[in-house]
Amino acid sequence: MGLFTRRSQDTATAVATAPAAVDPALAALTGDYVIDAAHSSIGFTVRHAMVTNVRGSFDTFEGALHLDGSDPARSTATIDVTIGSVNTGIGDRDAHLLGSDFFDAELFPLMTFRSTTAAQLGGDAYRITGELTIKDVTRPLSIDLEFTGSATDVYGNERVGFEGSAEILRSDWGLTWNAALEAGGVMVSDKVKLGFDISAIKQA
């Protein structure tokens, strides 16, 4: 049963104007949450030299969620990512990403996402759409999410979890650096796959 699931009505007997019932357990999750970065991850995958994938992550970020257990359209999300925390496991490659060929991190230290709409796709699946800003370019982005559950941890924190994914063309945000390969193709693909694994703590 999804985070924002409503109980179905018997269409033969329900009054057309009656509101759908809401599961009290799900409605109880309504509230404001802060992303627990120590137990969350934001990663990316990009094709390299046409033959393999390079994976990386941003290790420093913060964000907040507002969840509405009765009406998913009223849920919101914000995320601020520190570009300087990019980590692909190779220092020289990270330095190249931070330079003017890619992120130009000294001038543009943050990547941000601000949601504009949210919707339930069915069951535990959701889609949140908003504006992603990289450098000085802001464009729309939709993230598909799966609600992975809720729990109270050993410290009494109420937590919710989501896994998400999205795909972007980096050139849409002005990240156009590349190098042609002798046999054809390019060094770095335009398409980038984003991955999110989020644990968030409810605020009092």
Side-chain angles (χ1 to χ4, degrees):
M1 181 161 47
L3 174 61
F4 305 116
T5 301
R6 300 170 184 266
R7 294 195 185 101
S8 61
Q9 293 178 317
D10 183 345
T11 57
T13 58
V15 177
T17 57
V22 177
D23 187 322
L26 299 176
L29 297 179
T30 296
D32 295 318
Y33 293 76
V34 170
I35 293 176
D36 177 10
H39 297 95
S40 303
S41 63
I42 298 176
F44 59 88
T45 303
V46 63
R47 200 77 170 161
H48 177 262
M50 310 296 289
V51 297
T52 191
N53 289 316
V54 169
R55 293 175 173 82
S57 63
F58 293 96
D59 295 339
T60 302
F61 54 89
E62 59 184 23
L65 311 174
H66 174 75
L67 303 182
D68 192 316
S70 302
D71 184 357
R74 298 178 63 184
S75 298
T76 61
T78 65
I79 301 176
D80 294 330
V81 178
T82 300
I83 294 296
S85 70
V86 69
N87 181 6
T88 66
I90 297 179
D92 287 346
R93 183 164 59 205
D94 294 345
H96 190 198
L97 290 173
L98 294 175
S100 58
D101 282 342
F102 286 96
F103 290 112
D104 205 355
E106 286 193 10
L107 288 178
F108 306 100
L110 289 179
M111 173 171 57
T112 65
F113 176 79
R114 300 289 184 267
S115 69
T116 54
T117 62
Q120 183 179 12
L121 303 181
D124 290 326
Y126 300 87
R127 177 171 294 151
I128 190 161
T129 298
E131 295 184 335
L132 175 66
T133 300
I134 302 175
K135 298 174 76 171
D136 56 352
V137 179
T138 299
R139 294 182 60 88
L141 174 69
S142 292
I143 303 171
D144 289 336
L145 296 166
E146 178 186 359
F147 173 58
T148 56
S150 62
T152 301
D153 66 23
V154 295
Y155 302 106
N157 298 311
E158 295 182 55
R159 292 180 178 266
V160 293
F162 294 91
E163 293 180 357
S165 62
E167 290 187 358
I168 66 171
L169 298 179
R170 60 188 178 90
S171 59
D172 287 343
W173 281 266
L175 305 178
T176 57
W177 182 91
N178 227 321
L181 300 176
E182 184 176 344
V186 292
M187 182 68 74
V188 184
S189 69
D190 193 18
K191 182 170 71 175
V192 180
K193 298 179 180 178
L194 305 177
F196 307 86
D197 199 344
I198 301 297
S199 177
I201 298 173
K202 194 173 188 179
Q203 302 302 287

